[in-house]
Amino acid sequence: MTSVHNIAPPAAAFRHDWTRAQVIALFETPFNDLLFDAQTVHRRYFAPNQVQISTLLSIKTGGCPEDCGYCSQSAHHDADLQREALMDVEQVLQAARTAQANGATRFCMGAAWRSPRAKDFDRVLAMVEGVKELGLQTCMTLGMLTEQQALQLRDAGLDYYNHNLDTSPEYYGEVITTRTYQDRLDTLAHVRDAGMHVCSGGIVGMGESRSDRAGLLQQLANLPSHPESVPINMLVRVEGTPLADVEALDPLEFVRTVAVARLMMPAAFVRLSAGRTAMSDEAQALCFLAGANSIFYGERLLTTDNPGVNHDRNLFERLGIEMMQ
Ligand code: SAM
Ligand code: DTB
Ligand code: SF4
């Protein structure tokens, strides 16, 4: 087995030229070596016992025209979901204040859109301005953006834009048919060019192969610059969606995915994202050891459950983890 010890280059030389075979070789590293290497790299760039805390809010729920096979909010599927129109700014600010009081430093607002419509955009910009004024970092995920929309969001004070590649280019068509991989790459370029931080990751446990998981990370790391934030979601299997009955992924393979993300994008925040309610505390602890240093915090993700704040506080206490300020 190839040794990957001391794989991290100095900051100026972060790699953007990974081949699929090299990424697969990382995945195939014996577990102890992989976690040791990932933790070693992690400590070069981050305080080892600090985790960044983001809280999510669905600002517009359900009725989405896209057909993403995993998603409860797609109008193509039949999930048991209450549709909700775009929220008022004041309601959003109320939720942001609560998140802040609970210790969140970033507030992420998500909308079930293919892309934002002109008639809604002023309200979206007002949400960014208001949340920013509270002193929180702002993040939004609204679907595809034009160059112009990215600039407007930046001017309103948006710090991060989340737009996931979701999976490898070859598996993508099995999951989504209404927008292309290239559409996603174009939106990420608009976000980057506008000068905002990029939050981009994907979902594992959708029936993809290890090579697909490697392909996702290869795409992310080979972007012109690494995303500042990389959410790794474990599929939440929602009844009524095409992926409801897919076989569960081995949690250790999820941990490996986190470790490989850490090795390939050493200075990025790697977020242990959706799927934590189905994960043991021990599996989550291994994810932190593998270099995950961000979570979604609060009872809800967008439409599905997340561990309660008391559960997470208790877990952090048991692990000696502090919430990053
Ligand atoms: N509609 C926008 C879009 O997709 O671009 C933004 C919201 S969308 C819900 C944000 C991301 O959540 C998706 O790209 C996907 O990676 C993740 N996601 C959605 N449903 C999920 C599920 N059931 N399990 C895990 N991740 C999920
Ligand atoms: C991301 O990568 N995960 C978050 C956030 N970005 C927007 C969303 C997870 C959604 C999980 C399913 C749901 O609650 O609807
Ligand atoms: Fe719509 Fe986003 Fe869900 Fe896809 S992931 S169906 S774009 S809300």
Side-chain angles (χ1 to χ4, degrees):
M1 203 66 59
T2 334
S3 169
V4 291
H5 287 276
N6 299 319
I7 198 165
F14 283 168
R15 286 186 55 186
H16 301 275
D17 60 353
W18 293 91
T19 65
R20 183 71 63 95
Q22 288 170 333
V23 185
I24 291 174
L26 291 178
F27 268 91
E28 288 174 350
T29 310
F31 193 78
N32 287 346
D33 289 340
L34 179 61
L35 261 67
F36 181 82
D37 288 343
Q39 178 63 209
T40 304
V41 167
H42 185 62
R43 281 164 188 259
R44 278 192 214 150
Y45 295 92
F46 292 102
N49 302 305
Q50 288 194 357
V51 167
Q52 189 275 330
I53 301 293
S54 296
T55 291
L56 272 170
L57 177 70
S58 182
I59 59 170
K60 186 267 170 186
T61 307
C64 184
E66 302 291 287
D67 70 351
C68 312
Y70 46 76
C71 187
S72 62
Q73 305 201 67
S74 167
H76 298 257
H77 317 324
D78 196 18
D80 178 21
L81 182 78
Q82 188 73 42
R83 292 186 184 187
E84 308 262 359
L86 183 63
M87 287 172 80
D88 292 328
V89 177
E90 192 40 53
Q91 279 178 288
V92 172
L93 295 184
Q94 196 48 52
R97 284 186 206 104
T98 305
Q100 190 171 34
N102 282 330
T105 53
R106 190 177 309 162
F107 193 63
C108 307
M109 295 158 268
W113 286 327
R114 171 175 167 81
S115 54
R117 281 180 296 189
K119 71 174 180 60
D120 295 320
F121 211 57
D122 283 346
R123 203 192 298 178
V124 164
L125 296 175
M127 290 174 190
V128 176
E129 282 161 12
V131 173
K132 183 87 178 166
E133 244 167 56
L134 297 176
L136 283 161
Q137 293 172 8
T138 51
C139 177
M140 282 198 158
T141 179
L142 313 170
M144 295 186 284
L145 293 185
T146 63
E147 258 176 85
Q148 182 62 23
Q149 286 172 325
L151 292 168
Q152 286 175 280
L153 286 167
R154 177 204 63 195
D155 289 344
L158 191 66
D159 297 306
Y160 287 81
Y161 194 78
N162 166 246
H163 198 63
N164 291 337
L165 293 179
D166 278 350
T167 187
S168 68
E170 10 11 312
Y171 198 65
Y172 183 86
E174 302 287 319
V175 183
I176 299 142
T177 69
T178 49
R179 65 163 84 131
T180 66
Y181 213 78
Q182 189 58 48
D183 288 333
R184 290 182 186 252
L185 293 169
D186 290 346
T187 290
L188 292 181
H190 297 154
V191 172
R192 171 71 60 203
D193 292 347
M196 285 182 286
H197 294 320
V198 170
C199 172
S200 188
I203 311 177
V204 298
M206 299 196 292
E208 77 287 340
S209 65
R210 180 177 264 184
S211 174
D212 292 314
R213 290 185 281 280
L216 165 69
L217 297 181
Q218 180 192 8
Q219 287 286 325
L220 292 167
N222 287 353
L223 288 170
S225 40
H226 294 167
E228 280 77 11
S229 174
V230 179
I232 308 291
N233 297 279
M234 176 79 108
L235 175 71
V236 179
R237 291 173 292 174
V238 181
E239 220 173 300
T241 64
L243 295 180
D245 298 321
V246 80
E247 200 185 326
L249 184 74
D250 176 2
L252 294 180
E253 181 69 9
F254 185 88
V255 176
R256 282 184 183 274
T257 309
V258 168
V260 176
R262 167 54 64 224
L263 286 170
M264 294 173 71
M265 294 169 277
F269 280 85
V270 176
R271 182 172 310 115
L272 166 55
S273 302
R276 291 197 298 120
T277 51
M279 236 176 259
S280 69
D281 287 349
E282 293 80 1
Q284 293 185 59
L286 285 174
C287 288
F288 296 128
L289 189 64
N293 62 343
S294 173
I295 59 161
F296 286 122
Y297 184 67
E299 269 80 15
R300 292 297 272 174
L301 291 165
L302 289 173
T303 67
T304 65
D305 289 344
N306 198 39
V309 297
N310 288 335
H311 186 102
D312 280 340
R313 281 193 187 136
N314 176 262
L315 177 61
F316 281 6
E317 206 171 291
R318 286 158 68 208
L319 298 175
I321 286 178
E322 288 170 15
M323 293 185 184
M324 207 172 277
Q325 286 311 305

